[in-house]
Amino acid sequence: STPLALAAGDHPKADITVHFDERGLGFYALGSSLATKKPTAVITTSGTAVANLYPAVMEAFHSKIPLILITADRPHELRGCGANQTADQVKIFNNCIRAQTDLSPHLDNHAIASIIAQNVCYDGPVHLNCPFQEPFLPSLHSSIKPVLFSKPTLVAPPYHVNAKRGIIFLGLSDPSPVLQLAHRLQWPVFADILSLARSTPTPEQIRHFDLIKSDLKPDFILHFGERMISKKMFEWSKEVEMVHISPYPFLQDPTRCLSMRIQSDIAPFCETFCGYTDPDWLPAWQELDREMHAYLDDQFNQPFTEAHAVRNLPSFNPIFFGNSMPIRLADQFFFPKKAPLIFANRGVSGIDGNIATIAGIADGLKRGVTAFIGDQSALHDLNSLPLLKKHQVLLIISNNYGGAIFDHLPVSKSPHLERLFTASHSWNFENAARMFDIPYLRKEGDMENLPTYGIVELITNRKDNYEFLKEIKHDCFSTRVFRN
């Protein structure tokens, strides 16, 4: 990869980050692209270095995050003959890539420009495999005039339904036209934590929809954008007509119950969609939401609950939520008065690479980031801690000494829970912070007086937390039967 590295080093506009671990570097680039919505390039040498990018590639593919993988390779004549640091890299990401090409060293500049433009016009990862012959020392100084490929605009025909008790589920997408549609129809909106809708609170948004137990039943469901963290939609998906709208050609229907899938840009669909309004439908949901909010305010006086910690996260910075329990708790309880930018790796919901992604987001935004992750995610990505030092990142690690999400699953009744699933441990992160010279603070369950950067280890009592959360989930404190 020497020619690629030197070319980047010679480029006056290149913003370069060097890291010793390609897996972390891939997630760092992913975080930068996640923040800027622009492609970030990753350069690696050949061999296992390429394979270490695969977890980040999977996440970028399923999250439609632009990522350009520029991997060095041995020349064609040294492949398949036992040459050092040589493996079959061509189409190595075949199932998780938008476009890929094995460049020839004999292409002229215009051909290279056209191939690159053809490959990088996608939302998602693309792979440019670059074979080089020795000597590697000279860099690539020749300039290449860029070629641009435009993206198509997708407009669905007008859609009309007779429903008047509809519900709008809003995943990651452009929220503005969807919120305008909900206001026009007076339909309740169940907005995912990553939908960005919480940045602009509206009367139609039902904050605690995932916790509400009720006999209210919709007669139509609109699902916009990406999949939801909540499974509330599944309560009605087999009984009610449901339509999914997205500009991407990827199915978001794990129950296989969709009535129709429409590939369209969000705004034009919302402008032409027609439905009816029941004046009692939205107020019924709003009343349930108010009662749930009051109930939670009465209950959240316990300092040792992760949900309380999530509700009190500082909102002066963009926030990243780790997978497993943090993102689920945030989806249910995080409604700050000043809603920040919110990020997560939900493409394939992995706990790997979270710290590197956080650092990449801070790099892309050129500002501080607050992150809330679990102890298992932190253990999985300790080698990315040095990346945090480049930015003002406040990393809050909720340490309940194991994987607490299994307390919610049927396996929680197994005698093997702690040994095989929770992966219980007795470690803390103070020495890891000290090793990389990162400020460290230990908190025993409260979120007062947090620093602006460094590592805060929040020690929680897992059993008390989740018994309490189960109580909320099963509390049928208010039931409404909708009457026409």
Side-chain angles (χ1 to χ4, degrees):
S1 60
T2 298
L4 295 169
L6 292 178
D10 289 341
H11 200 295
K13 294 184 179 181
D15 182 2
I16 299 174
T17 296
V18 178
H19 188 47
F20 49 77
D21 168 39
E22 291 89 356
R23 188 188 68 120
L25 192 66
F27 277 104
Y28 185 88
L30 180 139
S32 180
S33 295
L34 183 62
T36 63
K37 311 302 180 188
K38 298 178 180 179
T40 304
V42 183
I43 293 174
T44 75
T45 187
S46 61
T48 60
V50 182
N52 277 307
L53 296 176
Y54 215 126
V57 171
M58 293 175 69
E59 177 64 30
F61 178 81
H62 289 280
S63 294
K64 295 93 177 170
I65 297 173
L67 204 61
I68 303 174
L69 315 168
I70 307 177
T71 61
D73 200 355
R74 307 307 301 274
H76 292 73
E77 63 270 19
L78 290 182
R79 297 176 183 175
C81 64
N84 186 44
Q85 201 173 316
T86 305
D88 186 358
Q89 299 172 194
V90 179
K91 298 185 178 181
I92 188 172
F93 307 116
N94 204 30
N95 293 325
C96 292
I97 208 78
R98 293 281 186 265
Q100 54 194 331
T101 187
D102 187 31
L103 291 173
S104 167
H106 307 296
L107 294 171
D108 61 29
N109 284 356
H110 187 77
I112 291 176
S114 177
I115 291 171
I116 291 175
Q118 179 184 3
N119 280 269
V120 303
C121 67
Y122 297 92
D123 289 330
V126 298
H127 181 203
L128 306 176
N129 194 56
C130 306
F132 291 107
Q133 293 176 322
E134 295 188 74
F136 299 135
L137 191 58
S139 61
L140 308 175
H141 287 291
S142 57
S143 61
I144 297 177
K145 184 179 179 181
V147 177
L148 302 178
F149 283 43
S150 64
K151 296 179 181 178
T153 298
L154 301 173
V155 180
Y159 197 85
H160 180 271
V161 296
N162 293 322
K164 57 183 178 180
R165 289 181 285 123
I167 288 179
I168 296 174
F169 284 84
L170 179 54
L172 180 60
S173 65
D174 179 7
S176 298
V178 179
L179 296 179
Q180 293 172 13
L181 172 65
H183 179 72
R184 172 162 61 87
L185 297 176
Q186 288 295 283
W187 285 6
V189 175
F190 295 176
D192 189 86
I193 182 70
L194 298 178
S195 68
L196 305 181
R198 299 184 191 187
S199 299
T200 53
T202 57
E204 293 77 31
Q205 293 185 53
I206 307 301
R207 294 169 295 179
H208 302 293
F209 65 90
D210 192 48
L211 299 175
I212 293 174
K213 304 294 181 180
S214 170
D215 292 334
L216 292 176
K217 182 180 176 180
D219 58 7
F220 191 82
I221 291 176
L222 283 175
H223 174 203
F224 289 94
E226 301 303 296
R227 62 186 170 91
M228 307 282 291
I229 294 168
S230 166
K231 295 182 179 180
K232 190 74 174 180
M233 190 189 310
F234 303 157
E235 293 181 10
W236 303 300
S237 58
K238 295 183 179 180
E239 306 172 10
V240 177
E241 184 178 357
M242 183 168 65
V243 175
H244 177 230
I245 305 95
S246 170
Y248 300 107
F250 304 108
L251 189 64
Q252 300 288 348
D253 182 28
T255 61
R256 300 285 182 174
C257 292
L258 269 182
S259 306
M260 178 176 289
R261 190 188 179 283
I262 298 176
Q263 187 176 355
S264 171
D265 290 339
I266 302 297
F269 177 88
C270 291
E271 290 169 0
T272 59
F273 179 82
C274 293
Y276 294 95
T277 301
D278 186 318
D280 297 325
W281 177 240
L282 178 60
W285 280 104
Q286 291 170 329
E287 176 61 23
L288 288 173
D289 197 34
R290 283 190 292 269
E291 291 184 10
M292 176 58 82
H293 193 71
Y295 173 76
L296 294 177
D297 279 344
D298 288 341
Q299 296 295 316
F300 271 78
N301 53 10
Q302 306 181 41
F304 292 100
T305 62
E306 284 185 301
H308 177 73
V310 167
R311 294 219 316 175
N312 289 277
L313 278 173
S315 58
F316 48 80
N317 278 335
I319 295 181
F320 177 94
F321 288 107
N323 283 315
S324 194
M325 288 310 302
I327 189 65
R328 288 169 171 80
L329 292 168
D331 193 49
Q332 293 175 343
F333 302 110
F334 189 61
F335 296 91
K337 294 181 180 178
K338 183 180 179 182
L341 292 171
I342 298 173
F343 299 96
N345 282 349
R346 293 299 295 173
V348 283
S349 303
I351 64 169
D352 53 341
N354 278 197
I355 294 175
T357 302
I358 294 158
I361 291 170
D363 184 41
L365 296 175
K366 306 303 180 188
R367 58 180 296 190
V369 172
T370 299
F372 190 85
I373 68 174
D375 53 281
Q376 300 288 294
S377 296
L379 289 170
H380 209 294
D381 204 21
L382 287 177
N383 57 344
S384 295
L385 284 175
L387 292 170
L388 298 181
K389 298 182 66 175
K390 189 177 177 181
H391 311 284
Q392 296 273 51
V393 172
L394 174 60
L395 178 63
I396 302 171
I397 302 174
S398 175
N399 190 357
N400 43 42
Y401 303 107
I405 192 170
F406 296 103
D407 292 353
H408 291 272
L409 304 178
V411 77
S412 63
K413 298 179 176 61
S414 168
H416 302 295
L417 174 67
E418 293 293 328
R419 184 167 66 95
L420 299 183
F421 297 92
T422 303
S424 297
H425 62 87
S426 58
W427 304 316
N428 62 55
F429 297 89
E430 182 175 4
N431 288 333
R434 182 182 297 123
M435 176 180 177
F436 296 112
D437 196 26
I438 300 173
Y440 170 88
L441 177 65
R442 179 186 174 109
K443 303 284 279 184
E444 297 289 342
D446 69 90
M447 298 288 283
E448 301 296 327
N449 304 315
L450 292 177
T452 57
Y453 67 97
I455 294 175
V456 172
E457 185 167 2
L458 183 68
I459 306 298
T460 58
N461 184 318
R462 191 176 84 243
K463 183 176 180 181
D464 290 349
N465 289 356
Y466 296 104
E467 288 301 320
F468 173 62
L469 291 176
K470 287 177 183 177
E471 175 191 333
I472 293 177
K473 289 290 286 185
H474 296 299
D475 182 8
C476 298
F477 69 96
S478 178
T479 301
R480 293 275 191 274
V481 178
F482 180 76
R483 303 182 186 280
N484 190 344

